[in-house]
Amino acid sequence: MSKPDTIVAAEVVVTSPGRNFVALKITTEQGLTGWGDATLNGRELAVASYLRDHVAPLLLGRDPARIEDTWQYLYRGVYWRRGPVTMTAIGAVDLALWDIKGKATGQPVHQLLGGPVRDRVLTYTHATGWDVPELLESVDAQRERGFLAVRAQMGVPGLDTVYGVSSTAAGASYEPAGRGAAPSVEVWDTAAYLRHAPGVLAAVREHVGPELHLLHDSHHRLTPNEAARLGKALEEVDLFWLEDVTPAENQEVLRHTRRHTTTPLAIGEVFNTVWECQSLITEQLIDYVRTCVTHAGGISHLRRIAALAEVWQIKLGPHGPSDVSPVALAASLHVGLATPNFAIQEYMGYEPLVHEVFRHDWRYADGYLHPGDAPGLGVEVDETLAARFPYEPAYLPVARRRDGSMTDW
């Protein structure tokens, strides 16, 4: 029997080619390298420190082939469990080990997960506009790029800013995270949003016809009753899903929303474990789980979430903003290719420089993402180029109501 390979180095790379990213590089004695994504928007350095100071030393000398054992060791081997920082760090290790296993066997990761159950992964992207004409123009632009599914977000009358919405007339790009030492503050008005959103989304549906998949995100800002009202008002719009209607830490509150609307609900991008998704799945309170592969402990744990969801006929639609790196997107695509109840993948896209730092073989074409056939995850990081772009603080905005109180999101 040949001697098992061992991990000899675990290095953290922090880079900011337009957005902040944290990558983990694991190297084995036999010279194999694996890459994982450890990006956690607004808390990047916390994960980088967690990996450097606590996790990396524990990996040295371990067998990289024992992926599940390493996952259990990192999760159960400390008193503190769960949480976004811990699970993102574990997720980075998990992705890197799957990458190494693929390279050691000469197989893309989806082959190691049982092989493809589909040929390509349906994806959706974002369209934004401050008013209806701008939004329709943005939707049409994404349709011209071949997208078959589009998330539509709009401005709200009376508000100067709305999270994630930019004016195409002003030439602004869609960038929700702002550089700076602290988050910007936006004013939010739920009543105005509830009055405005149904009519705008109805106008989009009338414009595009019945075939385009339309999605919309409420960004956790509604009470269960407000969510029920919105879901009911949007039933004729025939959304693919209505996302994050409530914060959902108290999962029981969604029972009220679910009883009053048949609009499909998607929740879970801020969840990190199968236990946070458990009641939502087993009580069928949602239709899609949004958990992100890197924030939920990697491929190994996302597959457990998918397996539980499949029993209850709930599908996966993982979080995939531009603040998770192409490494995480690749991992999500490999899971999607091999998972029967995987429905759709979010894809905001990246600035050209990001594609140069994170060289990958996955590609977008005609509304679908196509994982490549390179061994492992199919992503390599140009460390020399990455070093040219140091970390800069950046945060998503916070929202306050007109009376100055914080919103639930």
Side-chain angles (χ1 to χ4, degrees):
M1 180 180 294
S2 60
K3 178 185 174 182
D5 200 359
T6 58
I7 296 172
V8 296
E11 304 163 88
V12 178
V13 175
V14 180
T15 183
S16 189
R19 295 295 296 266
N20 290 321
F21 298 105
V22 180
L24 175 67
K25 179 186 179 183
I26 293 179
T27 305
T28 76
E29 187 176 21
Q30 295 179 10
L32 296 173
T33 59
W35 287 99
D37 182 21
T39 308
L40 185 65
N41 189 310
R43 296 295 183 269
E44 297 91 353
L45 298 186
V47 186
S49 175
Y50 193 108
L51 284 167
R52 287 193 186 108
D53 300 331
H54 301 291
V55 174
L58 303 178
L59 299 175
L60 303 182
R62 293 187 64 85
D63 181 353
R66 298 184 64 171
I67 299 175
E68 183 61 32
D69 184 65
T70 298
W71 196 98
Q72 297 293 337
Y73 174 70
L74 294 177
Y75 183 81
R76 301 178 188 278
V78 294
Y79 182 78
W80 304 105
R81 299 186 181 184
R82 302 192 243 183
V85 173
T86 292
M87 297 306 292
T88 300
I90 294 174
V93 174
D94 189 77
L95 265 57
L97 295 183
W98 278 106
D99 193 24
I100 288 172
K101 186 176 283 287
K103 291 171 180 174
T105 60
Q107 296 288 325
V109 166
H110 63 259
Q111 290 291 355
L112 305 180
L113 301 178
V117 297
R118 56 179 53 83
D119 299 322
R120 52 193 179 170
V121 175
L122 180 66
T123 185
Y124 75 90
T125 195
H126 297 188
T128 75
W130 197 251
D131 54 27
V132 172
E134 280 190 359
L135 179 55
L136 297 182
E137 181 181 352
S138 181
V139 170
D140 286 344
Q142 302 298 6
R143 294 172 76 192
E144 289 175 6
R145 295 177 60 203
F147 281 96
L148 307 173
V150 176
R151 195 191 83 171
Q153 305 294 130
M154 73 293 291
V156 176
L159 300 182
D160 295 327
T161 58
V162 172
Y163 171 66
V165 178
S166 59
S167 172
T168 56
S173 61
Y174 174 61
E175 177 47 74
R179 300 285 189 181
S184 62
V185 178
E186 297 181 347
V187 175
W188 178 249
D189 187 332
T190 299
Y193 165 73
L194 289 174
R195 289 193 300 269
H196 187 62
V200 173
L201 292 170
V204 176
R205 172 57 73 199
E206 182 179 5
H207 177 74
V208 301
E211 299 303 321
L212 183 73
H213 297 306
L214 278 182
L215 304 86
H216 179 68
D217 191 346
S218 294
H219 294 122
H220 307 101
R221 291 180 176 176
L222 306 179
T223 66
N225 195 54
E226 290 166 345
R229 286 171 50 202
L230 180 61
K232 191 72 175 176
L234 293 174
E235 287 179 1
E236 293 301 315
V237 176
D238 189 26
L239 290 181
F240 186 93
W241 75 39
L242 177 60
E243 181 181 345
D244 286 342
V245 287
T246 73
E249 284 95 341
N250 181 357
Q251 300 183 11
E252 292 185 2
V253 302
L254 277 171
R255 293 174 183 166
H256 177 76
T257 303
R258 189 61 146 175
R259 281 195 296 266
H260 289 87
T261 181
T262 59
T263 295
L265 302 177
I267 281 179
E269 70 182 54
V270 297
F271 291 172
N272 310 120
T273 68
V274 68
W275 297 282
E276 291 165 290
C277 303
Q278 181 177 353
S279 295
L280 295 176
I281 291 171
T282 59
E283 296 189 32
Q284 295 181 301
L285 300 178
I286 60 174
D287 301 275
Y288 299 91
V289 179
R290 296 275 292 125
T291 314
C292 178
V293 63
T294 191
H295 300 152
I299 290 171
S300 299
H301 197 64
L302 183 61
R303 295 191 81 206
R304 287 194 271 276
I305 295 172
L308 177 64
E310 185 179 17
V311 174
W312 298 94
Q313 296 184 306
I314 292 169
K315 297 181 179 182
L316 263 64
H319 189 48
S322 57
D323 54 29
V324 299
S325 81
V327 177
L329 186 64
S332 198
L333 294 180
H334 283 286
V335 172
L337 210 66
T339 301
N341 60 322
F342 195 102
I344 197 168
Q345 174 64 53
E346 181 179 19
Y347 178 52
M348 282 179 61
Y350 299 100
E351 294 297 323
L353 190 55
V354 176
H355 294 284
E356 295 179 30
V357 173
F358 296 89
R359 303 189 306 272
H360 55 81
D361 71 339
W362 57 258
R363 62 186 178 85
Y364 165 78
D366 301 324
Y368 293 87
L369 285 164
H370 302 253
D373 292 320
L377 295 176
V379 184
E380 299 294 333
V381 179
D382 185 330
E383 295 179 75
T384 301
L385 184 57
R388 291 171 48 191
F389 305 101
Y391 168 84
E392 298 180 49
Y395 297 94
L396 298 178
V398 298
R400 293 184 181 273
R401 301 180 183 90
R402 292 187 183 277
D403 64 3
S405 63
M406 295 286 292
T407 65
D408 290 329
W409 176 76

